[in-house]
Amino acid sequence: ACGKNNNEGAASGSPSASDSAPASSASGEALSGTILAAGSTALQPLVEQVSTKFMADSKYSGISVTVQGGGSGGGLTQVQGGQADIGNSDIFAEEKFKDADADKAKELVDHQVAVVAIAPVANPNVGVDNLTKQQLVDIFSGKVTNWKDVGGADQKIVIVNRPSSSGTRKTFENLALGGPSQDLPGSIQEDSSGTVKKLVGETPGAIGYLALSYLDNTVKALKYEGVDASVENITTGKYPVWAYEHMYTKGEPTPVVKAFLDYLMSDEIQKSDVTDMGYIPVGDMKVARDVNGTVSNK
Amino acid sequence: MNSPVKRENAAADRVSHFPKHIREEWVGRVYVYACVALLVVTIFSIVWFIASKGLTPFVSGAIRIQDLLTGRVWKPEGEPPLFGALPFLAGSAYVSFIAAAIAAPFGFCAAVFMTQIAPKVGRRVLQPAIELLAGIPSVVYGFVGLSVIVPFLRDTFPGQGFGILAGSLVLSIMILPTVTSIATDALSTLPAGLKEGSFALGATRWQTIYRLILPTTLPSLLTGIVLGISRAFGEALAVQMVIGNAPHVPTSLLQSAATLTSIITLEMGNTVGGSLHNNTLWSLALILLVMTFLFVFIVRLLERRAKR
Amino acid sequence: MSETAFYTKDLSVFYGEKQAIKNISMDFPSREVIALIGPSGCGKSTFLRSLNRMNDVIAGARVEGEIWINGRDINDKGTDVVRLRQKIGMVWQKPNPFHKSIYENIAFGPRYHGVRKKSELDEIVENSLRKTALWDEVKDRLHGSALALSGGQQQRLCIARSVAVQPSILLMDEPASALDPVSTAKVEELIAELKRDYCIVIVTHNMYQAARVSDKTGFFLMGDLVEYDETQKIFTNPSHRSTDDYISGRFG
Amino acid sequence: MSETAFYTKDLSVFYGEKQAIKNISMDFPSREVIALIGPSGCGKSTFLRSLNRMNDVIAGARVEGEIWINGRDINDKGTDVVRLRQKIGMVWQKPNPFHKSIYENIAFGPRYHGVRKKSELDEIVENSLRKTALWDEVKDRLHGSALALSGGQQQRLCIARSVAVQPSILLMDEPASALDPVSTAKVEELIAELKRDYCIVIVTHNMYQAARVSDKTGFFLMGDLVEYDETQKIFTNPSHRSTDDYISGRFG
Amino acid sequence: MKPKITDRIATGVIIGIAGIIMAILAGLIVYLLYRGLSHISWHFLTSPPQSFKVGGGIGPQLFNSLYLLVLTMIITVPLGVGAGIYMSEYAKANKLTGFIRLVVEVLSSFPSIVIGLFGLLVFVNLFHMKYSLAAGALALTVFNLPLMVRITEQALRGVPREQKEAGLALGLSKWKTIQSIMLPMAFPAIMTGTILAAGRVFGEAAALLFTAGMTTPKLDFTNWNPADPHSPLNPFRPAETLAVHIWKINSEGRAPDAPEIAAGASAVLIIIVLLFNFGARMLGRAIYRKFTATK
Ligand SMILES: Nc1ncnc2c1ncn2[C@@H]1O[C@H](COP(=O)(O)OP(=O)(O)OP(=O)(O)O)[C@@H](O)[C@H]1O
Ligand SMILES: Nc1ncnc2c1ncn2[C@@H]1O[C@H](COP(=O)(O)OP(=O)(O)OP(=O)(O)O)[C@@H](O)[C@H]1O
Ligand SMILES: [Mg+2]
Ligand SMILES: [Mg+2]
Ligand SMILES: O=P([O-])([O-])[O-]
């Protein structure tokens, strides 16, 4: 229940906050302080870029933002433990803090700053440009081992996976495959999306999955169930494999942190940097998804 | 203000209880003992912290040690989660042993070259070259492995190039300096006259090396090999970049595999502290630690043998 | 005078820049003992080692000049060094037995030179040990480690090891200087015995020893051969002032 | 007989299990030169080094027995070793000047012991160098490196260095054995000179040297002090067979 | 004749293998330089990296590596030298010394990733240093300390015993003897060893992933106040080093010219390592000459 409240808070806060926050700070003297945002490597470039702009803005000259990577898990741990002010994560905190730790997630407040879609990608020479959910499941479970069985070239399939702890993988498994997949013998596992892209591009017969922000023409993004991972399809919910990028704070953000989060949610940023970097602004989404994966229209 | 006092000390021999040189002695003593104490504290805290983290999964009863050590399936996010580390143990063992098997003869030959065949060329050229090999950072080895060895293996053999063989090749170059330098030391500190004694009997160089030097220095050579294995076992990034990282007990040299270090590098940042998954990664680190002790122990045994 | 076993002509040895041996010409008669004496660092060992090209082993050592044995200059490029060294035995100041059994120490050489038969090897081992008066002391532990022997025994074992490959020349570098009186006496006896078959060149810093065992003596000083003559002459009536100074202990 | 500078009582030295010096009691008169002779490895250096507790430096060396200097046993726990060593100078076989200038080599000790004034130091340096007959040879390059001196000069510099801290005893371990005839003669002269102020204990393997420079001689054999007497007696009419054997060169 | 032929063949094989090793090294270096040199420019060496655009550099990373190295050495050298002096001069032949030797040996055998993880637990989390240069420097200290100890110990053992005894025999205290006679003589060896160790520290990445972090804040190179979060000198800021950057670029790099940057950065790294190596040798020789006053 708590998680839901947080979502709404962040979602509803976004349009109005952009002008309220500077207003509040303008009333007093200029804000000053430091912010440490740590976590997801997928989100890191965006936050870095925005923080640079933020600090260059004369209004916030007293605030200094430091962005660290370390992975979603690390970010959540650090924000939970108080070592970081913001924990960047690709997945809901509830998915990471489970069982005995479930309480820890309740202390965190979610700020969804962008949406990222994930597409199955393949080496350009496999001769396939669309896969159904069942075909994907067959491939990732090892039932199908040759591209010709899914209508492509006669070539062995090489799976390039992310580690089981990856947010990207979790999203892909849950939303594209419909459940956890196994690590098959002979599959390759790579730490980061960059490597996955590189390998899929280089390795004949390779298949993997990537956030759209990583896509370029060295790999081929496959349609999922005939649907293209276009902005249009994602915002309308037609293309289902997408996830929020979260920035968690422990409890409600301090004024300084709030100023930064509001800046990130401002139209100026969402319409330029966020889209430029291959993410989709949260405000553009016509559907929303909660921690249990239930999708609803907004 | 010091000098008059000192002068007095020097003059009045036994009057002062703390003549200058005794004070001096204490300063030195406190300094060096403090440094050593710090070393000891460091190692104990390493063991303590890693062990206390790494043992939690067992203490809490979430996993049994034998399941971790013998389990073949690593599925930390599955339902139920499975933590079988055998694939990583096997991967680490394979890469390091194969690397040592490649490096050992190379290292021995290099050492023989440097000490017996062409000491001058050895000292001027080969020795610095090997020291340089030791100086090259592991990420650079990883980079070269990724951009040369992996594509080469992919094009030459079936498979994707990633795997045990790629890892072993990269590692064998990385541990070559270790193996070589120990072999060189052993060969050059041979009891004086041993070699000359053999030459003087008219034995050829190879005879001397093979029949006299090799048997006499064998324990030291083995020490070098074990040290090499130990280093390979703990190497992280270079291996992680070329081994493929699939959590399976490898069935072929050309198949993607994972090692203890590579899986830690891969997953540590993506898991939240305190979770079972995260703690189990610390258990893997603990295994690395225990292996280090084991290697040191073996090295010590061999060294004792070498002394006799 | 007896026939010449070998001789050197203008032999010089350099360690890097430094000349340790300066243009030495010297001839060595068969079946005689030649002693080389001189103060520490004068080049005795260096000279001795160049006679079987053992200086090849030392990095930075360079030999110039000629050494004629059996009508060939061993400093020639074509020389078969291995064969040469088989013909010239060598014994060092510090005994250097191999880390093997007594038997193996002696059998190592002959086996290497082609003797395979156990009975033949046994015979060689026994003969060599008898020649060096070791047989009775070690015959019960032939297969025990050579390192367990005393210093004097080790030294005699090293001599036996040289003798086993049937050399014609024996080079000895202070072979008794690390030994006790009894062992010293034994080694000196041995030298007197062996000179019946070999030409023996011995470096020593004990002038009495030189006087006792040698037929001819060469006095070295800072790389030069100052004087080379009958031992008796050297010790009673040397031609050079510095020889006299040295043997009467005015330095060294 | 003159007064005693120091004496040892039942002094033994062990290296691990091995006993290198066996219960030696010996007394050393002031203002005399005592020579220690004996074959290599008999324990001369070991004995000498225990006299200023230099064996403390060697891992595994253990000293038993007493050494009395000025009414105190220096092997006592309470002994201030540093102070002790200041009173006992030492010179080694191989000259070992510090890698500093000539001036610094000599000034180093006095300065450490509290002499600060430049003029005083200058004086000490000059006096020490004069005493060792080096002054004229080096006065123009006092601030040049000590390593640029010849071996003989280096050795005299080392003696000067010891002398500069005003010891009362000088220990010398084969101080001339690496030197040429001329330097040897100079060092021997120096010893004769210095004995006016110090008790000098000198180890030598050159028996002529022992005979020339010393007043008393001790003969060591395998850790035992076989004989200790007036030098003249030892060299003309030794009481022991082995002393005779040794000085007449039958071994060593 | 037969043994001689075997000898020839064996010698040939050994020389061949020595040649192969040389070829591997030469190949490695030539390859790295060939791939990377063309990308190295002043701009590349001084400008910050770009996440998505072409033309990023490695300026901050280069600075971080050097600065981290300096920080590490400031901590390591006094500690390592102290412990090294203990090992060579104070350690008695007893159980305690044996134990300390074991400690040094074990410490030097720990995989660097384990040391990195230890740093994460203790420096980053327990001491609240977060990902920072300070945490990285401490981790590297742990990593480098045993080596430093060994270098010092060996250097001191290389000092002739007579030198030490000469000092003692003059009535110098042990500490004074060590300080003013032995250390100066050991200095060239310590110096050479330290520079070589520095090369190793410079290229280390695994111990830094979880301590110094994989990011660099925006640095203001005109601000040299170490307390300021934007100052390059602030030891409590995170810092991605060159080696870590190479690792990250190889995996994460999203800039279109990522492969070139990786190659260029590798070349820079290898050039610096080469400089360290040759520098150490030359400096060692020069200092030796100066100290022994062989003018
Ligand atoms: N391997 C070497 N490298 C450089 N110089 C050397 C080497 N061996 C000997 N020398 C030098 O060559 C000279 C002659 O040495 P050599 O060993 O032949 O003297 P020696 O007469 O045998 O002395 P000793 O009686 O002490 O054995 C000496 O000055 C010595 O320092
Ligand atoms: N550091 C050491 N450790 C073990 N044994 C030693 C050590 N130093 C000397 N010895 C042994 O102690 C014995 C006496 O040695 P020492 O050096 O006192 O003899 P020496 O009479 O001075 O000989 P030399 O004339 O060759 O200098 C020898 O047997 C030697 O092997
Ligand atoms: Mg010699
Ligand atoms: Mg001695
Ligand atoms: O964004 P990731 O969690 O897949 O690294």
Side-chain angles (χ1 to χ4, degrees), chain D residues 1-44:
Chain D
M1 259 192 89
S2 62
E3 89 196 86
T4 295
F6 67 105
Y7 64 95
T8 69
K9 226 180 110 183
D10 282 338
L11 193 71
S12 293
V13 183
F14 300 80
Y15 291 115
E17 296 295 285
K18 190 183 153 191
Q19 184 163 10
I21 286 292
K22 298 172 189 159
N23 298 308
I24 291 188
S25 300
M26 205 170 170
D27 66 300
F28 299 82
S30 301
R31 284 173 249 285
E32 290 204 355
V33 176
I34 297 93
L36 309 181
I37 60 171
S40 191
C42 66
K44 306 179 295 291

Side-chain angles (χ1 to χ4, degrees), chain B residues 24-25 31 131 206 240 300, chain E residues 7 78 105 173 175 281:
Chain B
E24 217 170 60
E25 220 68 289
Y31 166 50
E131 276 166 22
W206 176 244
Q240 186 264 327
R300 293 232 145 181
Chain E
D7 185 57
E105 193 175 336
S173 66
W175 182 244
R281 270 165 226 284

